[in-house]
Amino acid sequence: MKPNTNEHDQGVVYRKTLGHYTVRANGRDIDCVLSSLLRKQLIYPIADPTSLRRRVQKVREVEHIDPVAIGDHVRFIRAGDGSGMINQVLPRHSTLSRPAPVPGQRVFEQVIVSNVDQVIPVFAAASPTPKWGLLDRYLVSAEASELPALIVINKLDMASKNRRLEADLEIYRRIGYKIRMVSSVTGQGLDELQALLAGRTSVLIGKSGVGKTSLLNAIQPGLGLRIKEVGRGDLGKGRHTTTHLEMFGLDIGGALVDTPGMREFGLWDINGEDLALYFPEMAGYVGQCKFGLSCRHDLEPGCAIRQAVMAEKVSPYRYKSYLNLREEL
Amino acid sequence: MNCPNTFGDFKCAHCGQIVSSAHWLSGVNNRNHCSYCLWSRHLDLYAAGDRLSACKATMQPIALTSKRSRNKYSRGRGELMLVHLCTDCSEISINRIAADDDADTLLEVFNDSCSLSNRTLNLLLENEIDILPPEGLPVLQLQLFGKITNIRLAKIV
């Protein structure tokens, strides 16, 4: 099938539920399904790839859990009833991926979102208590995707319950990450945050119950998205409320992608050898160890990163996160 | 300790023995030194078990001290504690003795602690640690074996 290159048949994926994609084109939302061609990789003979009458040699399954992600610029064919069929995904300028949490031996890539300008890891000041190891995962993933990260601490109205919050955040400030403290309840800090969102496409990621959707409701009043209170009987754990990915256009310009709470966030396409490069405060020491680039920065003598930790130039908490992630890779 | 990021069994970095961290053997929650040679590894930074230290050098058992409720690490009949000295950064840490720690090696540590260098003694002083003095041998024997034995005394002296 020849892709339809008509300008009117190009749009951006704003929402997806099982098997259905909402594509926004010229200000209108079109409910689309996926062409089965996008689920396969057609292999043509190398001898004459430009031949007009190309014969498919082999069909391979695409190594993605879903070939279309929120934020994708796609081409689609319109059906007569107002729906459509996506038949081409245009090149992406950025992706944020993780290994798909599906059982089985084969690991598929799950592109959480594409074509975003910044990643916003959201944590609650308290309830649920921030897990900084998870933040480090998000930051490594953002660094590997070459996306800037903006750390948002929500529920500022509950900050008095977390005495260590400021000291913990100082670690990230010193590295150079931007941090904004907000409260979607009192509205504190929202103006500053909006200024950093305007004109950009951003994605909110974080555990259930940190207030991602509440934040979105506060930033873009009128959305009326469903939210729930954090459970009381289970140590302040969040309850899954948002069940699908969706991108929302903002009145201030730009867009914000809301994601369901993610308890698991594996690293995709990151080698253990490269991991230290994704910790900005450690990257400068890579290659300066006694064993050069072969150093795992764990037990090796003469490790420049360990020496930097001991000289208090690198936080021991971040170094521990590095070791924890290194064990996985 | 080749498994610094886990609290499981480990291979001693000093004597090479495989050390079990099973609670029913050691009687402690954080097994932080080898039960055979009593050497440890510098893994903790702010609190026991935090595994935040980047030093990771071996720690030598240099002396014994006892724990008291008011003045934690001073002489007395409190719980026996093992004093470790980091071979790289000279950090000193005090650790609980586990039930399966080798008693003879503990006596050897006590014996060696009677002839510590001035530098080490100063380090102990800076850390306000009173080590078990030579005349504390009967107390040590009582705590380790439940009785004072001449054989043990002969070995030490």
Side-chain angles (χ1 to χ4, degrees), chain B residues 18-36:
Chain B
I18 303 293
V19 182
S20 168
S21 63
H23 178 82
W24 62 271
L25 271 174
S26 64
V28 293
N29 290 325
N30 293 322
R31 152 63 76 194
N32 54 20
H33 56 265
C34 171
S35 54
Y36 302 98

Side-chain angles (χ1 to χ4, degrees), chain A residues 136-154:
Chain A
D136 293 332
R137 276 174 188 275
Y138 293 151
L139 294 177
V140 164
S141 200
E143 294 284 345
S145 305
E146 296 180 10
L147 287 168
L150 166 64
I151 301 165
V152 169
I153 305 296
N154 196 8

Side-chain angles (χ1 to χ4, degrees), chain B:
Chain B
M1 296 187 191
N2 288 338
C3 311
N5 295 316
T6 64
F7 292 87
D9 300 348
F10 58 87
K11 186 179 174 185
C12 176
H14 184 250
C15 70
Q17 293 267 24
I18 303 293
V19 182
S20 168
S21 63
H23 178 82
W24 62 271
L25 271 174
S26 64
V28 293
N29 290 325
N30 293 322
R31 152 63 76 194
N32 54 20
H33 56 265
C34 171
S35 54
Y36 302 98
C37 67
L38 307 181
W39 279 62
S40 182
R41 187 157 220 160
H42 191 182
L43 297 177
D44 296 339
L45 185 62
Y46 303 123
D50 68 12
R51 299 300 191 257
L52 284 170
S53 173
C55 177
K56 303 189 182 197
T58 50
M59 295 187 91
Q60 185 186 0
I62 54 164
L64 299 171
T65 185
S66 56
K67 185 178 178 181
R68 280 204 313 206
S69 56
R70 286 191 182 173
N71 188 4
K72 273 172 60 180
Y73 304 113
S74 63
R75 290 171 207 168
R77 290 209 170 200
E79 182 185 349
L80 266 184
M81 307 290 282
L82 196 53
V83 182
H84 281 109
L85 173 70
C86 179
T87 53
D88 187 18
C89 70
S90 300
E91 175 80 14
I92 285 184
S93 73
I94 296 168
N95 298 297
R96 292 186 72 188
I97 287 171
D100 59 343
D101 283 350
D102 188 79
D104 287 334
T105 315
L106 279 167
L107 278 172
E108 278 174 30
V109 169
F110 172 75
N111 191 27
D112 293 346
S113 72
C114 299
S115 52
L116 287 173
S117 68
N118 282 339
R119 184 179 165 272
T120 310
L121 287 171
N122 282 336
L123 276 172
L124 291 167
L125 199 65
E126 282 170 22
N127 285 274
E128 297 175 1
I129 297 167
D130 282 343
I131 61 170
L132 212 60
E135 57 270 24
L137 181 62
V139 175
L140 174 63
Q141 286 194 316
L142 269 175
Q143 294 219 14
L144 290 179
F145 309 109
K147 60 181 178 181
I148 301 167
T149 58
N150 290 330
I151 299 166
R152 298 289 176 192
L153 278 169
K155 189 178 174 183
I156 295 297
V157 177

Side-chain angles (χ1 to χ4, degrees), chain A residues 32-249:
Chain A
C32 290
V33 291
L34 205 60
S35 164
S36 61
L37 285 175
L38 284 174
R39 295 200 181 276
K40 294 166 188 161
Q41 188 184 0
L42 306 181
I43 311 294
Y44 296 100
I46 299 168
D48 188 11
T50 55
S51 164
L52 287 175
R53 199 180 160 196
R54 293 194 297 171
R55 283 202 307 187
V56 174
Q57 239 186 6
K58 208 174 177 183
V59 178
R60 276 192 203 149
E61 273 190 46
V62 176
E63 304 273 313
H64 301 281
I65 196 87
D66 188 339
V68 176
I70 296 290
D72 270 339
H73 292 259
V74 295
R75 288 207 171 110
F76 62 97
I77 300 165
R78 287 179 193 271
D81 59 357
S83 64
M85 183 169 73
I86 298 170
N87 60 2
Q88 192 182 0
V89 178
L90 298 175
R92 297 159 169 164
H93 72 72
S94 66
T95 56
L96 187 69
S97 302
R98 68 169 177 171
V102 288
Q105 288 189 330
R106 285 187 69 188
V107 183
F108 292 94
E109 178 185 11
Q110 182 189 19
V111 179
I112 298 165
V113 67
S114 69
N115 301 321
V116 288
D117 303 315
Q118 65 182 349
V119 177
I120 305 184
V122 183
F123 284 80
S127 185
T129 313
K131 301 280 184 204
W132 304 119
L134 184 61
L135 173 60
D136 293 332
R137 276 174 188 275
Y138 293 151
L139 294 177
V140 164
S141 200
E143 294 284 345
S145 305
E146 296 180 10
L147 287 168
L150 166 64
I151 301 165
V152 169
I153 305 296
N154 196 8
K155 305 191 186 181
L156 188 55
D157 46 302
M158 298 170 89
S160 58
K161 290 183 181 176
N162 187 347
R163 288 179 191 172
R164 279 200 51 84
L165 184 66
E166 266 306 319
D168 290 337
L169 289 176
E170 189 54 32
I171 293 169
Y172 296 93
R173 281 201 191 97
R174 279 173 60 183
I175 300 166
Y177 285 112
K178 281 186 206 163
I179 299 173
R180 289 295 176 270
M181 312 269 278
V182 300
S183 168
S184 48
V185 176
T186 64
Q188 200 177 346
L190 283 178
D191 290 343
E192 272 184 62
L193 179 61
Q194 280 177 328
L196 292 167
L197 297 176
R200 294 176 185 179
T201 305
S202 314
V203 55
L204 301 172
I205 51 173
K207 271 175 68 173
S208 282
V210 296
K212 298 181 291 296
T213 308
S214 304
L215 199 59
L216 186 55
N217 278 335
I219 290 166
Q220 183 71 25
L223 286 176
L225 298 171
R226 201 161 60 104
I227 52 169
K228 275 187 200 168
E229 276 195 16
V230 167
R232 286 178 188 171
D234 51 356
L235 300 170
K237 282 184 182 173
R239 295 181 289 176
H240 290 306
T241 311
T242 306
T243 52
H244 64 273
L245 280 153
E246 187 163 358
M247 182 155 71
F248 299 91

